[in-house]
Amino acid sequence: GENVEQHPSTLSVQEGDSAVIKCTYSDSASNYFPWYKQELGKGPQLIIDIRSNVGEKKDQRIAVTLNKTAKHFSLHITETQPEDSAVYFCAASIFSGGYNKLIFGAGTRLAVHP
Amino acid sequence: DAGVTQSPTHLIKTRGQHVTLRCSPISGHKSVSWYQQVLGQGPQFIFQYYEKEERGRGNFPDRFSARQFPNYSSELNVNALLLGDSALYLCASSEQGRGYSNQPQHFGDGTRLSIL
């Protein structure tokens, strides 16, 4: 069945360090991979996404890589800041039958310490 | 520009009651999806609606239903509430339409539903 595994579940880093979150998906038909940041009391906020025809995408301090063969994708945050502290979710999506649904990982709680 | 708006923000119900949650998509977005997020987990897909029709449904019982209106806003209805329905209900909108590839989904802040 459709499944996304996400690791680690918690991550603690010092301000200025890098943080890496890894996800694995099960359905090889998945072709769109967004990442969301969720702060307390808020809904998930889209921070970056990547499509299956691209191997890497960067946006300032964040980057996402995709290995279709291994069905892995990762989020990299460089020069972390305290405001990066939040829960991060990866997701995989297939567009099929005229609709798409996001299959989410279980989330990674990132804590950035000053 | 206004993002996805949901109402109410919080709701308390008792077992057996029914509830209606509301969502207004981002202006110009014609597709609305609903997700359930249980505490400590990732969101789970319930429905996707486009042009007032249900286009896809997740693994949820028939007690869950929804509809989309001509202005693309949407309502989620849950009947015969169970304790296990306590969760954050999220609405997401996108430009998704027939023939489109995956389009980014943008979420509202959700409705926190508590069942006593």
Side-chain angles (χ1 to χ4, degrees):
Chain A
E2 302 154 333
N3 188 46
V4 174
E5 292 190 2
Q6 182 171 348
H7 299 281
S9 56
T10 60
L11 183 57
S12 183
V13 300
Q14 290 297 125
E15 183 177 0
D17 287 350
S18 295
V20 180
I21 302 170
K22 298 183 179 182
C23 290
T24 303
Y25 60 97
S26 61
D27 194 330
S28 56
S30 300
N31 56 11
Y32 174 67
F33 307 90
W35 286 86
Y36 289 87
K37 174 184 181 182
Q38 188 171 27
E39 296 175 299
L40 197 61
K42 299 284 190 180
Q45 176 193 3
L46 179 67
I47 56 172
I48 195 167
D49 56 12
I50 191 168
R51 299 184 185 275
S52 58
N53 59 347
V54 176
E56 184 176 356
K57 184 176 178 181
K58 282 186 178 180
D59 183 5
Q60 300 183 347
R61 295 186 299 109
I62 59 174
V64 59
T65 58
L66 172 65
N67 183 331
K68 284 172 51 182
T69 303
K71 291 191 276 188
H72 290 169
F73 58 115
S74 300
L75 177 71
H76 304 252
I77 305 174
T78 59
E79 300 172 25
T80 53
Q81 301 167 2
E83 50 266 38
D84 293 330
S85 297
V87 179
Y88 289 80
F89 291 98
C90 63
S93 176
I94 308 166
F95 184 76
S96 176
Y99 79 100
N100 69 315
K101 64 178 179 181
L102 297 174
I103 308 298
F104 283 86
T108 296
R109 184 172 298 278
L110 173 65
V112 180
H113 302 284
Chain B
D1 287 342
V4 176
T5 57
Q6 293 186 243
S7 63
T9 55
H10 295 84
L11 204 50
I12 299 175
K13 292 286 189 178
T14 56
R15 283 178 297 175
Q17 286 188 311
H18 72 272
V19 68
T20 298
L21 310 180
R22 295 176 175 83
C23 170
S24 292
I26 293 171
S27 177
H29 286 189
K30 298 182 178 181
S31 180
V32 168
S33 300
W34 287 94
Y35 291 80
Q36 180 195 65
Q37 186 177 24
V38 173
L39 197 62
Q41 297 182 17
Q44 273 200 296
F45 175 78
I46 309 176
F47 300 105
Q48 186 171 91
Y49 274 76
Y50 174 71
E51 293 288 7
K52 297 177 289 181
E53 289 185 15
E54 181 182 304
R55 301 292 181 173
R57 185 185 183 107
N59 189 22
F60 280 81
D62 292 344
R63 297 185 297 107
F64 288 77
S65 64
R67 54 181 180 167
Q68 187 177 31
F69 299 98
N71 66 353
Y72 305 110
S73 66
S74 178
E75 284 183 354
L76 172 67
N77 297 285
V78 187
N79 293 326
L81 288 166
L82 303 174
L83 293 178
D85 294 333
S86 295
L88 179 68
Y89 288 85
L90 294 162
C91 173
S93 76
S94 71
E95 295 183 55
Q96 201 75 55
R98 187 183 295 278
Y100 281 70
S101 59
N102 279 298
Q103 294 299 314
Q105 294 191 26
H106 301 275
F107 286 83
D109 286 337
T111 294
R112 172 75 58 191
L113 177 62
S114 299
I115 311 302
L116 303 178

